[in-house]
Amino acid sequence: MVRLFGTDGVRGVANTELTPELAYQLGRAATLYFGAHSKARPRILIGRDTRVSGEMFEAALTAGICSAGGVALLAGVMPTPAIAYLAREHKTSAGIVISASHNPFHDNGIKFFGGDGYKLPDAVEDELESLVRGLQSGDHEARPTGKDVGVVEYRDDLLNQYIDYVVSTCTERFDGMKIVLDCANGAAYEAMPKVLRRLGADVKVIHALPNGVNINDGCGSTHLDSLCRTVLECGADIGIAHDGDADRCLCIDETGTLIDGDHILVACAAEMMRRGHLPHKTVVTTVMANIGFHKAIAALGGRVEVTAVGDRYVLEAMRRSGYAIGGEQSGHIIFAEHATTGDGLVTALQVLSALHRSGKKASELNAMMTTYPQLLVNVHVKSKEGWEKNPAICDAIAEGKRILGSEGRVLVRPSGTEPLIRVMAEGSDQKQLEEVCTAIADVVKREQGEA
């Protein structure tokens, strides 16, 4: 049986793969689980992004929570990191976010945070999944009646509490700074313009008119063309882009050039190091970070700790060793001092603060790191089994690394969800990268069987 929880909650096409019946069962299961671990009635906070299916899943989750005697706190449209922060601040049993992040509007997802603001451990997700499977095979769990039936609280005040918190994480003001903000027609559309204007910025907001179906549609952190154009047209100092649930942040400098997560980490780590706020002079990132990132951090006198792909692995390493900053090229950046998960709004303010303190242009901060050309080849295979111990594949990878030397790298890894083996190479010579990737991909096809 396929595991219900993926790398970031339960996701699927709304009303087919992810159904309101399943949402009801997840709400009921969560209340049963947290109720069994507490003497108090479980209080579960729910937030959602702007997808048309969000209210349907909110209603289903609420019914499930109330059927098991819990309290559903409905916060409405909220950035994902807001639910993490507010769950902790209000000492709720858990927080639930209804969102499929950067996916198109027809998808949706349900992900959980514990009362501590962190994503649930795998073991807890497994227990929730077991409860859901039990409900699906025959719901024999208790159903409270009378005054013990669950209740709903509508919390329209919580967004402003989160906005106040985000503003409090920033010690700078941005008076006179011209910023273009792309809200992806998503969860940041109300909060982030207010945050920036309270800090004095001159803000031009784009893609902040959600209608249920335009979230991430040609906009946001995965579609940056309109933000680039607007930055150049307005002569802005910087552009900021969030994704649909606002846990990511990417930027555009005043020349229209992308400032991706790697560059953001370098700029922020440099500022933290200068102020003595970077424990162990260490930044955490994933295996997908560009080789230029590693070189830039080394040039600053810092070190890099590398994890598997996924912000949960970045966060695990940070918590385990007390590191202050980590993230991914995609713009998931975690500042341990301020958040328990990736927070696109906090990240944007940290970038703007570094920019303001430096007195430089965004392009100058961007130039602290040189992005090496990267080539990725997806090889469709009949089997992913045993590839990492295959002598021919290992020899091909070793030869590729020899060719690229210290000025490049090779990364081969299987897809977690598709019958693919991904071959990636980075280096200064594009033609050389093509030759290395092609050679390795050909061996993988021969050895694993081309699908």
Side-chain angles (χ1 to χ4, degrees):
M1 185 179 291
V2 177
R3 189 171 187 265
L4 188 62
F5 285 86
T7 56
D8 201 20
V10 182
R11 282 197 191 178
V13 176
N15 220 21
T16 56
E17 296 169 345
L18 178 60
T19 64
E21 290 85 356
L22 177 56
Y24 168 83
Q25 291 157 353
L26 284 165
R28 185 159 164 73
T31 309
L32 292 167
Y33 174 82
F34 290 106
H37 290 76
S38 170
K39 294 180 181 178
R41 177 183 285 215
R43 298 168 63 247
I44 299 178
L45 177 65
I46 303 176
R48 55 185 169 83
D49 68 19
T50 57
R51 290 162 213 271
V52 67
S53 60
E55 290 176 297
M56 175 179 72
F57 290 120
E58 178 187 72
L61 281 162
T62 299
I65 291 167
C66 291
S67 77
V71 179
L73 308 172
L74 304 189
V77 173
M78 281 274 183
T80 285
I83 295 300
Y85 165 72
L86 292 164
R88 184 174 76 252
E89 188 72 8
H90 290 271
K91 297 180 173 59
T92 64
S93 304
I96 300 177
V97 177
I98 304 165
S99 174
S101 188
H102 58 285
N103 286 21
F105 84 94
H106 48 69
D107 291 343
N108 217 327
I110 295 171
K111 58 185 170 185
F112 290 82
F113 290 93
D116 58 0
Y118 291 100
K119 291 179 181 177
L120 296 182
D122 288 346
V124 176
E125 288 186 344
D126 288 343
E127 289 196 53
L128 289 180
E129 179 160 343
S130 179
L131 281 167
V132 169
R133 299 301 187 197
L135 296 175
Q136 290 172 337
S137 62
D139 187 350
H140 304 297
E141 300 291 341
R143 291 183 176 273
T145 59
K147 63 181 178 58
D148 294 324
V149 170
V151 296
V152 180
E153 293 182 15
Y154 295 91
R155 296 300 302 268
D156 298 333
D157 58 314
L158 294 182
L159 182 62
N160 283 332
Q161 288 184 28
Y162 172 66
I163 290 171
D164 289 343
Y165 176 71
V166 172
V167 171
S168 77
T169 67
C170 183
T171 59
E172 305 292 310
R173 285 192 57 82
F174 309 122
D175 300 280
M177 189 180 288
K178 196 167 188 178
I179 300 169
V180 180
L181 172 66
D182 181 348
C183 295
N185 292 314
Y189 85 97
E190 184 177 353
M192 194 53 174
K194 289 181 178 179
V195 167
L196 292 175
R197 286 170 178 147
R198 276 179 55 176
L199 292 170
D202 177 3
V203 188
K204 179 176 179 58
V205 183
I206 61 175
H207 305 303
L209 295 171
N211 61 12
V213 301
N214 61 0
I215 186 171
N216 302 315
D217 185 11
C219 58
S221 61
T222 51
H223 303 89
L224 294 163
D225 289 350
S226 61
L227 179 60
C228 289
R229 286 195 305 271
T230 310
V231 166
L232 294 173
E233 289 168 1
C234 295
D237 297 302
I238 193 169
I240 295 168
H242 296 303
D243 61 337
D245 71 334
D247 62 355
R248 298 188 192 192
C249 170
L250 293 179
C251 299
I252 298 294
D253 71 22
E254 81 283 358
T255 71
T257 303
L258 170 66
I259 307 175
D260 68 12
D262 286 347
H263 287 257
I264 287 172
L265 283 170
V266 169
C268 291
E271 176 61 18
M272 293 168 74
M273 205 178 297
R274 185 186 69 79
R275 301 173 71 204
H277 291 171
L278 190 65
H280 314 293
K281 294 186 177 180
T282 297
V283 184
V284 183
T285 189
T286 76
V287 293
M288 293 306 293
N290 192 271
I291 191 172
F293 170 80
H294 294 265
K295 291 180 178 291
I297 295 296
L300 290 169
R303 64 176 291 272
V304 177
E305 181 152 330
V306 179
T307 75
V309 174
D311 61 321
R312 72 162 51 206
Y313 302 113
V314 171
L315 182 59
E316 284 174 7
M318 291 174 65
R319 296 183 72 186
R320 183 170 57 246
S321 302
Y323 300 135
I325 185 174
E328 299 182 282
Q329 200 175 72
S330 61
H332 275 120
I333 313 294
I334 303 168
F335 292 88
E337 180 184 357
H338 303 303
T340 55
T341 189
D343 189 321
L345 287 72
V346 168
T347 298
L349 295 191
Q350 294 301 309
V351 173
L352 295 174
S353 295
L355 181 62
H356 185 263
R357 292 191 191 106
S358 73
K360 298 177 179 179
K361 293 182 177 180
S363 58
E364 294 177 274
L365 286 190
N366 209 14
M368 293 174 67
M369 171 186 152
T370 299
T371 299
Y372 279 55
Q374 185 182 87
L375 184 63
L376 177 66
V377 175
N378 290 321
V379 184
H380 291 262
V381 293
K382 290 180 180 177
S383 171
K384 294 183 287 185
E385 295 299 318
W387 72 270
E388 67 271 36
K389 295 181 180 179
N390 183 290
I393 295 174
C394 291
D395 288 347
I397 293 171
E399 176 62 12
K401 289 179 177 179
R402 185 195 67 76
I403 291 170
L404 295 178
S406 63
E407 290 301 302
R409 70 177 182 128
V410 174
L411 176 66
V412 180
R413 65 185 187 93
S415 165
T417 58
E418 300 175 88
L420 300 174
I421 292 179
R422 306 188 194 279
V423 180
M424 188 271 283
E426 286 176 347
S428 55
D429 187 323
Q430 185 71 26
K431 184 177 179 182
Q432 195 175 59
L433 296 181
E434 292 172 0
E435 292 172 353
V436 166
C437 276
T438 299
I440 297 173
D442 286 345
V443 174
V444 171
K445 290 175 188 175
R446 186 184 73 225
E447 297 296 314
Q448 299 299 122
E450 186 174 4

